[in-house]
Amino acid sequence: MKTTHRLFTALVVMLLFFNFNSISAQDDGPQGPQYVTATTMHWNMNYENFKLNEWKEIEKEYLDNVTMKNEHIMGASFYLHQFTKSNTELVYVQTYATWDDIDKAGARDTELAKEAWPDDDARSEFFKKRNAYYDNRHSDEIYATMSGAKLMDELPLEDMTCYVRTSHFAFPEDGTNAEFKALRDEYNANVTQKNEHIKAYYPNMHAWGADRTEYLEAFFVDKLADLDDMFSRNGELFREHWTDADAREAFSEKNGKYYTGVHGDNIYTYVAGLSK
């Protein structure tokens, strides 16, 4: 598998995301990861010796010897296809405190790999075995984290379902950062944060990648069947907070101008035991 960091060395592009004049990343939220890299990879479907448990063992060895020891990486996790456009897809996510850490982490990975497998032949053999599971193609995106996350208290011990909704910002001429934040905060506090089926929630916006309008939200639930309950509970909480139909309509109209109305949905399995 190619390193996550190899395409991220042109630091000048980080200025691009500050052009968003009506949306801000992190706002006044708690300090934590500021950037998220998402590498979409694909299984090597021609690998005859494919064994999921062996893949987990290999990635766990790399996690313990490299990722866990890399001080520039705040978090890391794997997501496997449940309902996406390709059953070959898996996504590797890492989080960072600063933009510079994205580049530093790649160099530190190399150092730690040499420390973990000091013998050149042994190191080459390990990565040959690891890379055999992956196709050569992959794609990368960098997102800026946003305030309003619902955090997990600790790393899950069991696999979870992760629902990812990708919406698109509309950048209305009459929009303001203050109004956008107030609308988003009100909904988040009264719906997302109160929904007991949502075990964790992470909102992110485009920082570097194909589409500057992207607004990506990741919702974690215990199991796939909980998604129906999550959506139903969202509706209940929405009606509980905005009890008057006119108030609900007014909020939806005001909030809706910040989005194009187009969104996409993906569902992944969060792999327990392969996270930092």
Side-chain angles (χ1 to χ4, degrees):
M1 179 180 62
K2 304 297 188 297
T3 176
T4 306
H5 315 287
R6 67 176 189 169
L7 299 180
F8 302 152
T9 55
L11 298 183
V12 68
V13 299
M14 84 174 176
L15 297 175
L16 294 176
F17 107 92
F18 290 109
N19 291 331
F20 285 36
N21 56 16
S22 64
I23 303 159
S24 66
Q26 274 298 339
D27 303 320
D28 56 357
Q31 292 301 305
Q34 300 294 301
Y35 294 99
V36 178
T37 61
T39 298
T40 300
M41 303 177 292
H42 297 270
W43 296 118
N44 177 6
M45 302 303 285
N46 296 318
Y47 185 41
E48 295 180 356
N49 295 321
F50 184 99
K51 299 174 184 175
L52 188 61
N53 285 337
E54 182 183 68
W55 169 77
K56 289 181 179 180
E57 290 172 0
I58 292 170
E59 287 297 347
K60 183 66 164 61
E61 185 176 357
Y62 184 85
L63 173 72
D64 291 341
N65 287 290
V66 179
T67 307
M68 294 298 291
K69 296 179 181 179
N70 192 326
E71 65 274 21
H72 304 296
I73 299 173
M74 294 188 71
S77 48
F78 275 99
Y79 299 85
L80 306 185
H81 154 93
Q82 267 201 69
F83 291 94
T84 68
K85 64 182 180 181
S86 174
N87 68 326
T88 70
E89 184 178 290
L90 68 158
V91 181
Y92 183 53
V93 173
Q94 291 184 307
T95 60
Y96 306 87
T98 69
W99 183 278
D100 285 348
D101 282 342
I102 299 174
D103 197 49
K104 291 177 181 178
R108 185 65 175 135
D109 277 351
T110 301
E111 294 173 354
L112 290 166
K114 291 180 179 179
E115 292 175 12
W117 298 276
D119 180 78
D120 289 345
D121 290 338
R123 188 168 64 255
S124 177
E125 182 62 27
F126 173 81
F127 281 100
K128 181 180 179 181
K129 184 169 61 173
R130 184 184 185 222
N131 291 342
Y133 278 89
Y134 303 106
D135 190 85
N136 289 326
R137 60 197 167 111
H138 77 274
S139 61
D140 304 285
E141 299 281 345
I142 306 180
Y143 298 97
T145 61
M146 300 177 71
S147 63
K150 185 176 185 178
L151 305 176
M152 292 185 188
D153 294 331
E154 56 187 9
L155 290 176
L157 299 178
E158 302 290 337
D159 290 356
M160 297 184 73
T161 291
C162 177
Y163 162 60
V164 178
R165 179 171 63 212
T166 302
S167 304
H168 297 272
F169 292 126
F171 305 99
E173 291 185 1
D174 61 341
T176 66
N177 187 65
E179 181 182 60
F180 170 79
K181 184 179 184 303
L183 292 166
R184 184 170 164 272
D185 286 350
E186 185 176 9
Y187 183 90
N188 183 280
N190 292 286
V191 179
T192 304
Q193 297 293 329
K194 292 181 178 180
N195 191 326
E196 64 274 19
H197 302 291
I198 300 174
K199 304 304 180 183
Y201 166 70
Y202 301 98
N204 305 276
M205 61 182 283
H206 159 96
W208 168 247
D211 187 352
R212 72 183 289 264
T213 72
E214 272 194 349
Y215 173 41
L216 188 147
E217 300 170 277
F219 301 82
F220 287 76
V221 297
D222 286 330
K223 56 186 183 298
L224 183 62
D226 291 340
L227 286 178
D228 282 341
D229 294 331
M230 180 191 82
F231 290 124
S232 295
R233 185 64 175 140
N234 279 346
E236 293 172 356
L237 290 166
F238 185 76
R239 290 186 292 273
E240 287 176 12
H241 180 67
W242 291 275
T243 55
D244 180 76
D246 290 338
R248 290 195 295 271
E249 183 177 352
F251 174 85
S252 296
E253 182 177 349
K254 189 181 296 185
N255 187 59
K257 73 181 182 181
Y258 288 96
Y259 305 94
T260 65
V262 176
H263 80 273
D265 306 280
N266 285 312
I267 302 175
Y268 299 94
T269 297
Y270 163 89
V271 184
L274 292 183
S275 296
K276 179 178 182 179

